[in-house]
Amino acid sequence: MNFERQTSWGILIVSALFFSGMGGGCFFFSFILELQNKYEIIFKTGKILSPIFTFIGLLCLLIDLKTTKKFYRIFLTPSSWMTRGSFVLLIFFLCELGYSLPSLELFEWLPWDKTTSLGKVMLMTAVPFSFLAMIYPAFLLGAVKNIPSWDTAALFPLFLFFSLYNGLAVLLLITILSAGTLGNQTVVILNILMKMEIVLIIFGLLCLYSLVETMLNGNLAAKESIFILIKGEFMGLFIGGVVIIGLIVPFFMLISSILIKNATPILILTGISSILILMGGFLLRYAIVKTGVYSPLYY
């Protein structure tokens, strides 16, 4: 049977899913560090980068609409997951930005901070919306009912854990770049974050396995999508890029970084693994979007 792959959604949608998810993960872990009231330079930088990532994701989503007419229509169609997602990202962006700006000297004049009622409201809104930003791609893809590989609950934990995974990688890079300020605390912080990242890698692998098993037990179009991923033209990108480069190699590099004592190789291994993690996260979204196969029932 000849199957048809979707071609409507491309690199802009992939980028929107990647940056919005990473923004949600980065904000969540920055919030966790802030609760501990430790490592201020890390969570402050994370809080500033998070809305930038979210804005890029929202911008990519809107640019993909191509025309001004469609741009306005997206905010007037509440039944569309494209519309709902745009509102989710917009609310999350405004709240995380509003909460983060007073921590910068340039914006100390703002009449609120994290201790005021308005600041607390922004935080209490941003935290749950960070999770919505991370799982929103599953809603967006799942709304396309004639592509079985997208219409599955297995995508929700997959996008959640990979968003957390990518967001934590950003904090690892921030820690490495802040080594001069953190001094001897750098390795201590890295060890904590790396252990968390290792746990997320394990969950990420389990989520990928769950997705593959779900698709193998699905209809012919779902099986075709998985065939393209694990045996077809995307095998190198998925197995080599997502699984090996994005998960397995960072796993062993992070394990090695925890076991060794010398600070320099720890920084190098952690930095390389963080970059590989971000590459793997982007390739995962790309692979899932580009291998969406229409069900024959809708031909």
Side-chain angles (χ1 to χ4, degrees), residues 173-235:
L173 289 173
I174 293 171
T175 305
I176 293 169
L177 294 174
S178 305
T181 302
L182 294 168
N184 295 332
Q185 286 293 304
T186 304
V187 174
V188 176
I189 304 167
L190 285 177
N191 274 315
I192 296 172
L193 299 181
M194 286 189 291
K195 289 174 182 176
M196 296 168 64
E197 197 75 294
I198 289 169
V199 172
L200 289 174
I201 289 176
I202 295 171
F203 277 107
L205 287 168
L206 291 175
C207 289
L208 281 179
Y209 175 78
S210 175
L211 177 66
V212 171
E213 282 296 305
T214 300
M215 292 300 99
L216 288 176
N217 290 292
N219 63 16
L220 292 176
K223 291 177 181 177
E224 178 66 13
S225 290
I226 288 301
F227 176 83
I228 295 171
L229 279 176
I230 63 178
K231 292 184 178 180
E233 63 182 278
F234 277 76
M235 180 179 69

Side-chain angles (χ1 to χ4, degrees), residues 15 19 41 43 59 85-86 99 103 111 138 163 168 187 204-205 227 278 280:
S15 299
F19 282 105
I41 188 173
F43 69 71
L59 191 62
S86 298
Y99 178 74
S103 62
S163 295
L168 191 55
V187 174
L205 287 168
F227 176 83
L278 296 177

